Amino acid sequence: MRPEYCATRNHIEVWHDRVLPPGPEQIGFGTVLRGSLLPILVWAGVACLVYFLYNPVAAMALGGLFVLSFLVGFGLRRRAKHSIRCSIYGALGGVLDKCLAGF
């Protein structure tokens, strides 16, 4: 993979396409977060709900699931020869995208 194409919209899919630039160009971390605002709010809402309904250990388990999913996505992207930056952005965008796949 050529480094100049690694952090492009072709390799980092975020939940809402409307925040992405019109063509293949590098995007920033803020764009990934802005495009994934709804999934971030869902993760945070579920974590808060679990914290208050059950206990902090259950919320920590949910956070651990998020971190585990992120690490697996990061590892798969690194194995596919993506750059570290692309792997971080792609793993975050992938976790947030897949958690709301049913909506």
Side-chain angles (χ1 to χ4, degrees):
M1 171 151 323
R2 296 175 61 182
E4 63 268 18
Y5 296 119
C6 193
T8 65
R9 68 179 292 127
N10 299 329
H11 301 286
I12 301 170
E13 293 296 329
V14 292
W15 207 69
H16 294 291
D17 289 333
R18 69 176 183 266
V19 299
L20 292 174
E25 60 186 61
Q26 288 193 354
I27 61 174
F29 189 68
T31 304
V32 173
L33 291 180
R34 191 172 60 241
S36 304
L37 189 59
L38 179 62
I40 289 170
L41 292 175
V42 168
W43 270 97
V46 169
C48 288
L49 185 68
V50 167
Y51 179 83
F52 287 114
L53 289 181
Y54 297 104
N55 58 28
V57 175
M60 287 173 41
L62 183 64
L65 178 64
F66 181 85
V67 170
L68 178 67
S69 300
F70 175 82
L71 291 175
V72 167
F74 180 81
L76 290 173
R77 283 173 175 76
R78 287 299 293 159
R79 185 175 291 159
K81 306 285 191 246
H82 288 266
S83 69
I84 291 176
R85 177 182 173 182
C86 180
S87 297
I88 290 171
Y89 290 3
L92 179 64
V95 169
L96 295 172
D97 177 43
K98 300 304 181 233
C99 74
L100 290 180
F103 288 114

